[in-house]
Amino acid sequence: MPIAFNEPLSFLQRITEYMEHVYLIHKASHQPQTLERMQSVAAFAVSAVASQWERTGKPFNPLLGETYELIREDLGFRFISEQVSHHPPVSAFYSEGLNQDFMFHGSIYPKLKFWGKSVEAEPRGTITLELLKHNEAYTWTNPTCCVHNVILGQLWIEQYGVVEILNHRTGDKCVLHFKPCGLFGKELHRVEGYIQDKNRKKLFIIYGKWTECLWGIDPVSYESFKKRERRSEHPRKAKMDDGPEKANSDMPGDTTDNVPVTQETVQVIPGSKLLWRINSRPPNSAQMYNFTSFTVSLNELESGMEKTLPPTDCRLRPDIRGMENGNMDLASQEKERLEEKQREARKERAKEESEWRTRWFYPGNNPYTGTPDWLYAGDYFERNFSDCPDIY
């Protein structure tokens, strides 16, 4: 892919954006009630994909053996990721609370499908959050992300699919429906779901938008409100539907997917409680690939950092650095050189019949789901980087 389609970050750094709203994990850890903990975990799962909003730039594919670390003492966590496989591409990550309150880990292997006008990325792989104080583990898989008009027209993003978060200690489950855009864009960005106990009794209703906020309310109040709404708004709703239908109907021969008109913001049901609200982006975000304030800092190479980082860290990758500095020609040349170097290294290994050895993760089974996963081997923060591969 030409470099013009990229943003100056590696996919490993994109994964690190899961941690922007890490305060929700700390909040869950401090909640005494199981239901309240699940509410915060559900909010975190939604917040983890919120930075995708309007992010139409493609992150750089990580090179085999590439790593990324982030330590945020102000936010109370440290994070390490490694590209553990190239075919298929698999990125493994591990994060822990600096106060030993949580562990967050998983492996992501996006399955890409090209549909002509759009590209769909299904993020396969299990995500696990462990709240150590409560001896609880939660697992889930992220929703599917789709970028429309990749060839022609204005790019736009939607996320859809069902996300099921399971508390393996109690059997409680949160089911979140990320709504597809729909014919007239009415469901764009919407998330609706519920928390149920192990006997499938609904305990709590969740609603909102992954681009804005998430609210929750008890099931009785929710159903009561919906009944009143259906009785009072049915005629008015039918009338309101007239306009968008005509305006957004596809004409024969259209070569692009219409960009949906953003609908009204989330209607808050009386008695609801706010679970999460997105951080506002910096004023110049549109000129910086629609990065959030958290994202803008991810490739920062602070003074003295090179002495402590492994030589495989994304911040040292010359094509991404070139793009960040605005030198697109250099970035393009470096990207080509690095990809060729990776191909040559693969040929050498094939010739010598040697296997690639991962450094910080190893293949195994997820301890809670039993499904194949990549598990953290430990010792990264001991900073013994003497045997790291030369990938740049």
Side-chain angles (χ1 to χ4, degrees):
M1 293 283 284
I3 211 162
F5 288 97
N6 285 76
E7 61 178 24
L9 287 179
S10 167
F11 183 68
L12 295 183
Q13 291 164 309
R14 179 69 86 90
I15 291 173
T16 313
E17 294 179 60
Y18 290 170
M19 307 305 291
E20 178 165 352
H21 300 271
V22 69
Y23 75 89
L24 291 164
I25 297 182
H26 297 309
K27 184 178 177 181
S29 186
H30 286 99
Q31 300 278 17
Q33 301 298 322
T34 307
L35 178 58
E36 291 178 333
R37 288 198 293 277
M38 180 63 96
Q39 291 168 14
S40 293
V41 172
F44 175 74
V46 173
S47 78
V49 298
S51 68
Q52 308 263 32
W53 179 41
E54 295 187 329
R55 291 282 292 284
T56 51
K58 176 185 171 297
F60 282 72
N61 293 335
L63 300 166
L64 186 60
E66 189 174 314
T67 61
Y68 182 71
E69 72 163 77
L70 185 66
I71 302 173
R72 288 290 299 264
E73 292 184 7
D74 56 329
L75 299 177
F77 77 90
R78 60 185 186 181
F79 183 101
I80 166 66
S81 57
E82 178 182 9
Q83 190 69 7
V84 292
S85 172
H86 187 62
H87 289 300
V90 182
S91 309
F93 68 89
Y94 170 85
S95 181
E96 61 189 17
L98 297 179
N99 294 320
Q100 286 75 53
D101 52 343
F102 76 87
M103 292 192 297
F104 177 58
H105 51 92
S107 47
I108 308 288
Y109 40 108
K111 179 76 176 172
L112 294 178
K113 294 177 184 171
F114 185 60
W115 297 109
K117 290 189 283 187
S118 61
V119 172
E120 189 180 77
E122 182 191 339
R124 297 180 180 182
T126 304
I127 291 174
T128 304
L129 171 64
E130 299 180 50
L131 299 180
L132 304 179
K133 178 181 163 186
H134 302 284
N135 195 29
E136 284 181 342
Y138 301 79
T139 58
W140 69 91
T141 302
N142 279 334
T144 295
C145 180
C146 187
V147 182
H148 293 267
N149 299 333
V150 290
I151 302 298
L152 192 68
Q154 185 183 340
L155 293 166
W156 60 277
I157 284 178
E158 64 173 327
Q159 300 199 78
Y160 45 76
V162 179
V163 172
E164 292 191 354
I165 306 167
L166 178 63
N167 180 333
H168 289 263
R169 184 177 69 82
T170 64
D172 291 356
K173 184 189 281 188
C174 178
V175 181
L176 296 170
H177 296 268
F178 283 71
K179 303 277 191 170
C181 167
L183 195 54
F184 307 119
K186 288 177 188 162
E187 300 294 316
L188 185 66
H189 307 325
R190 290 196 181 278
V191 180
E192 289 179 4
Y194 53 87
I195 298 171
Q196 64 180 30
D197 65 16
K198 63 182 177 183
N199 300 316
R200 298 190 176 183
K201 180 188 175 185
K202 284 188 183 177
L203 307 174
F204 197 70
I205 305 296
I206 292 173
Y207 65 95
K209 290 186 178 182
W210 62 266
T211 54
E212 288 181 35
C213 56
L214 212 59
W215 293 83
I217 193 168
D218 67 277
V220 174
S221 301
Y222 179 81
E223 286 304 323
S224 172
F225 177 83
K226 285 294 178 186
K227 278 179 188 171
R228 288 197 306 273
E229 188 182 50
R230 282 193 289 271
R231 280 199 301 266
S232 64
E233 290 196 8
H234 183 71
R236 190 163 65 87
K237 199 172 180 188
K239 193 176 179 185
M240 280 172 64
D241 280 353
D242 267 2
E245 237 170 82
K246 290 172 185 169
N248 286 341
S249 58
D250 283 351
M251 298 298 290
D254 270 3
T255 55
T256 62
D257 293 330
N258 287 347
V259 181
V261 177
T262 303
Q263 303 294 316
E264 78 286 345
T265 53
V266 176
Q267 181 185 16
V268 181
I269 300 169
S272 298
K273 77 170 183 178
L274 181 67
L275 301 179
W276 162 78
R277 190 183 295 283
I278 198 168
N279 293 332
S280 56
R281 292 187 176 178
N284 52 349
S285 174
Q287 285 77 52
M288 298 189 302
Y289 306 93
N290 290 310
F291 284 178
T292 67
S293 297
F294 180 88
T295 309
V296 163
S297 66
L298 290 178
N299 208 42
E300 190 69 29
L301 193 58
E302 294 169 18
S303 177
M305 210 182 239
E306 283 183 70
K307 293 174 185 172
T308 59
L309 289 173
T312 50
D313 194 274
C314 300
R315 297 176 184 86
L316 306 175
R317 189 169 156 168
D319 51 353
I320 297 177
R321 183 62 58 192
M323 186 178 189
E324 183 172 306
N325 293 338
N327 194 335
M328 302 298 275
D329 289 341
L330 174 67
S332 189
Q333 290 163 17
E334 284 294 327
K335 181 171 177 282
E336 210 171 294
R337 179 185 67 80
L338 292 173
E339 288 168 352
E340 183 55 37
K341 181 171 182 171
Q342 182 169 240
R343 281 191 287 269
E344 287 301 317
R346 191 165 65 243
K347 285 178 193 171
E348 281 299 312
R349 286 196 300 277
K351 199 185 294 181
E352 295 169 6
E353 296 183 350
S354 64
E355 291 286 321
W356 173 263
R357 188 174 66 89
T358 54
R359 185 67 179 81
W360 309 110
F361 293 83
Y362 63 93
N365 292 325
N366 185 286
Y368 304 102
T369 64
T371 53
D373 205 349
W374 285 83
L375 309 173
Y376 179 54
D379 294 339
Y380 174 88
F381 293 100
E382 301 298 315
R383 303 210 173 274
N384 176 15
F385 301 139
S386 55
D387 61 346
C388 285
D390 170 21
I391 60 173
Y392 300 148

